[in-house]
């Protein structure tokens, strides 16, 4: 297996983005393989703002597979991690590093244990699809380490078995998860519709909404919906197939009006399906509803959509503005209703902070001086504290290898996470 005493540690580090669905995935036709009841389409977010970074290491000295998430050891015994590890190990190929005197034959990979350290550059608990970025990153990085030759489509169908929406994080830009028809799930994979440069005017503002409420997990929520909602059948069989075709056209033609109408309608139908579940599932809260109302009234007053909204299985609003100028106006309207609780404006908006300058917001005094949005009827009420913070982002690339060894999360001598 190795030249010297087998005390080497071989590592790879990767970074993967998160993604936000504009045509939603909700409902599985196969629970074990994670096969969906309909196609879905997403935008990949800039990994500089929202991503998982994962280092995977192998060494003959590791007695078992282990994983650390954000510095804390977690169990790898779950079926989802096991599926990803098994499927990548199956496809591992011979690897040789002559300089280090390491040679790993194809059959050796099955016997080598892995150490995995992963870190999300955004709060894991914020409800921002961290498992999508995490499982895409795990599969991508394990694939690099184990010299897997399969293309990204094949890797996406492995990531899907970790977390369904993870398959869409294998590509940048606009991505479709094709539900597939086969029972074994081999045709249920992601394809890139367009890369992140295709429509780079779009600006994404996420309102991380404060919530004390414990949410229903996506896994159990989806299961309840599949078992009880008559509306889900109609959505999956009649609505989504034509909506997916229209969304692909809108993306191809950079047709914002159509893109925004489809995105909002699909988010609303997803939440309608949640309400149609027995017992009903409520993911949005009053703050989410206020943001919808703000966007709807503004779009209405402009005569054509300026901003699209979409909400996943939680109260956070993902707002997609047609360009920077619109995003700056959107931010003014949002900050009018949801001003920061303390004086520090720059920690209230993370990611691309330069949007604050575009909106003319340099200090808390500028926020306090904002005029009430004229299109809103109730203008005087404000909701300080109802948004935890905002993230300003854009479309981004798919997974990348992090070549700088200083950025590895595992120590190349001990084989343990740095700082542990
Ligand atoms: N779940 C949430 N974040 C994750 C990560 N970075 N890797 C694996 N699973 C995760």
């Amino acid at each position: 297996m190795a030249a010297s005493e087998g005390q080497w540690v071989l590592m790879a580090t990767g970074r993967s983005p998160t993604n936000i669905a504009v045509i939603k995935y909700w409902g599985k036709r196969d629970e074990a393989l994670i096969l969906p009841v309909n196609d879905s389409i997403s935008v990949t977010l800039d990994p500089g703002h929202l991503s998982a970074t994962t280092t995977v290491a192998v060494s003959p000295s590791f007695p078992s597979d282990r994983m650390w998430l954000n510095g804390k050891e977690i169990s790898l015994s779950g079926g989802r991690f096991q599926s990803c590890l098994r499927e990548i190990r199956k496809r591992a190929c011979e690897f040789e590093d002559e300089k280090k005197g390491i040679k790993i034959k194809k059959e050796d990979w099955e016997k080598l244990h892995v150490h995995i350290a992963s870190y999300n550059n955004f709060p894991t608990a914020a409800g921002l699809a961290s498992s999508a970025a995490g499982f895409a990153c795990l599969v991508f990085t394990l694939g690099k380490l184990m010299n897997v030759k399969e293309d990204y489509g094949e890797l996406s169908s492995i990531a899907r078995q970790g977390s369904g929406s993870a398959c869409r994080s294998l590509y940048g830009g606009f991505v479709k998860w094709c539900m597939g028809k086969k029972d074994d799930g081999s045709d249920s994979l992601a394809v890139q519709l367009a890369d992140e440069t295709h429509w780079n005017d779009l600006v994404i503002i996420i309102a991380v909404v404060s919530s004390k409420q414990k949410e229903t997990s996506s896994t159990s929520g989806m299961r309840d919906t599949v078992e009880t909602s008559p509306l889900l059948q109609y959505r999956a069989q009649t609505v989504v197939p034509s909506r997916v075709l229209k969304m692909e056209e809108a993306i191809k033609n950079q047709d914002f009006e159509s893109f925004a109408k489809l995105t909002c309608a699909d988010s609303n139908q997803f939440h309608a399906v949640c309400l149609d579940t027995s017992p009903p599932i409520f993911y949005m809260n009053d703050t989410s509803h206020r943001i919808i109302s703000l966007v709807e009234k503004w779009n209405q007053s402009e005569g054509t959509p300026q901003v699209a909204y979409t909400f996943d299985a939680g109260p956070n609003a993902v707002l997609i503005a047609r360009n920077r100028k619109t995003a700056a106006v959107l931010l003014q309207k949002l900050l009018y209703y949801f001003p920061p609780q303390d004086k520090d404006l720059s920690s209230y908006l993370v990611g691309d902070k330069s949007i604050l300058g575009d909106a003319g917001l340099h200090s808390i005094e500028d926020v306090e001086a904002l005029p009430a949005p004229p299109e809103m009827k109730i203008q005087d009420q404000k909701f300080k504290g109802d948004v935890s913070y905002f993230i300003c982002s854009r479309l981004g690339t798919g997974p990348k290898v992090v070549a700088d060894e200083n950025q590895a999360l595992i120590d190349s001598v001990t084989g343990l996470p740095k700082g542990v």
Side-chain angles (χ1 to χ4, degrees):
M1 190 179 293
S4 53
E5 300 84 65
Q7 287 315 305
W8 48 267
V9 176
L10 185 68
M11 305 198 301
T13 300
R15 180 164 297 137
S16 292
T18 187
N19 71 79
I20 299 292
V22 290
I23 300 292
K24 300 292 188 196
Y25 152 52
W26 195 255
K28 296 182 186 81
R29 63 188 161 87
D30 184 309
E31 289 264 348
L33 290 169
I34 312 192
L35 301 176
V37 296
N38 57 257
D39 292 348
S40 53
I41 294 179
S42 59
V43 293
T44 297
L45 301 187
D46 185 341
H49 303 142
L50 292 150
S51 59
T53 301
T54 301
T55 299
V56 286
V58 280
S59 170
S61 67
F62 295 167
S64 62
D65 293 336
R66 294 176 73 184
M67 176 163 182
W68 294 260
L69 176 57
N70 296 323
K72 249 185 79 186
E73 184 154 13
I74 61 165
S75 166
L76 276 177
S77 63
R80 292 169 173 231
F81 282 113
Q82 289 302 316
S83 297
C84 292
L85 282 166
R86 183 190 64 238
E87 293 303 314
I88 291 289
R89 278 189 172 119
K90 246 197 247 173
R91 293 164 177 81
C93 293
E94 181 167 306
F95 170 85
E96 183 161 19
D97 183 332
E98 282 184 1
K99 265 200 233 139
K100 291 187 184 151
I102 303 172
K103 182 169 181 171
I104 305 172
K105 295 207 248 39
K106 189 172 168 55
E107 60 274 19
D108 290 340
W109 285 110
E110 299 279 348
K111 297 171 229 145
L112 283 167
H113 289 294
V114 293
H115 281 184
I116 304 161
S118 190
Y119 161 81
N120 300 328
N121 68 352
F122 57 97
T124 304
L128 294 166
S130 57
S131 64
F135 277 103
C137 202
L138 176 66
V139 167
F140 171 80
T141 314
L142 275 173
K144 291 289 171 200
L145 179 77
M146 299 192 177
N147 205 11
V148 167
K149 303 284 195 319
E150 270 74 8
D151 61 22
Y152 283 18
E154 179 87 8
L155 292 184
S156 80
S157 95
I158 301 173
R160 188 202 75 231
Q161 296 172 58
S163 167
S165 50
C167 72
R168 296 189 309 250
S169 277
L170 259 301
Y171 295 103
F174 297 88
V175 185
K176 174 161 102 166
W177 174 9
C178 306
M179 62 178 286
K181 288 191 180 69
K182 294 186 186 166
D183 286 343
D184 69 358
S186 56
D187 57 349
S188 185
L189 41 81
V191 293
Q192 187 177 50
L193 299 175
D195 74 15
E196 62 281 4
T197 62
H198 164 69
W199 193 358
N200 56 13
D201 291 348
L202 301 179
V203 176
I204 295 156
I205 293 183
I206 303 172
V208 179
V209 172
S210 319
S211 165
K212 279 161 231 97
Q213 198 185 314
K214 175 87 191 82
E215 281 147 25
T216 313
S217 83
S218 298
T219 304
S220 69
M222 268 185 213
R223 195 181 302 131
D224 291 349
T225 303
V226 169
E227 282 169 8
T228 65
S229 166
L231 180 56
L232 182 71
Q233 306 302 316
Y234 173 69
R235 165 174 168 74
Q237 286 160 22
T238 308
V239 178
V240 174
S242 72
R243 214 172 249 176
V244 161
L245 294 175
K246 287 182 195 143
M247 183 60 95
E248 287 187 61
E249 253 334 88
I251 291 167
K252 193 168 96 193
N253 300 325
Q254 298 178 27
D255 173 355
F256 189 79
E257 178 169 352
S258 180
F259 175 82
K261 284 182 175 164
L262 292 164
T263 297
C264 299
D266 205 68
S267 173
N268 290 334
Q269 190 176 67
F270 154 50
H271 290 278
V273 156
C274 290
L275 270 185
D276 193 44
T277 300
S278 176
I281 309 166
F282 308 96
Y283 283 124
M284 294 193 288
N285 65 15
D286 288 354
T287 310
S288 319
H289 294 146
R290 280 189 190 106
I291 294 173
I292 291 181
S293 168
L294 186 157
V295 172
E296 286 284 355
K297 290 207 174 93
W298 185 29
N299 284 346
Q300 186 87 41
S301 75
E302 293 287 336
T304 178
Q306 304 300 306
V307 176
Y309 56 80
T310 187
F311 293 78
D312 278 339
N316 299 336
V318 178
L319 304 168
I320 308 174
R322 67 188 315 153
N323 55 40
R324 257 190 103 74
K325 217 172 134 196
T326 323
V329 178
L330 171 65
L331 191 63
Q332 292 172 339
K333 293 177 191 293
L334 289 167
L335 289 189
Y336 174 82
Y337 285 111
F338 307 102
Q341 271 184 304
D342 58 33
K343 295 258 166 219
D344 184 13
L345 193 53
S346 91
S347 64
Y348 195 51
L349 187 131
V350 302
D352 179 5
K353 289 177 192 285
S354 68
I355 195 76
L356 281 170
D358 289 33
L361 301 171
H362 305 282
S363 67
I364 196 74
E365 286 75 26
D366 293 333
V367 173
E368 283 161 0
L370 280 168
E375 66 278 8
M376 300 297 282
K377 284 201 185 76
I378 306 164
Q379 296 189 346
D380 51 347
Q381 208 180 346
K382 296 196 178 189
F383 303 95
K384 195 183 266 187
D386 287 1
V387 170
S388 300
Y389 60 98
F390 291 96
I391 305 168
C392 181
S393 190
R394 59 182 161 242
L395 265 71
T397 65
K400 294 262 186 283
V401 168
V402 178
D404 176 5
E405 288 190 10
N406 292 323
Q407 292 191 48
L409 302 175
I410 289 180
D411 185 297
S412 61
V413 177
T414 64
L416 292 170
K418 288 178 179 170
V420 167

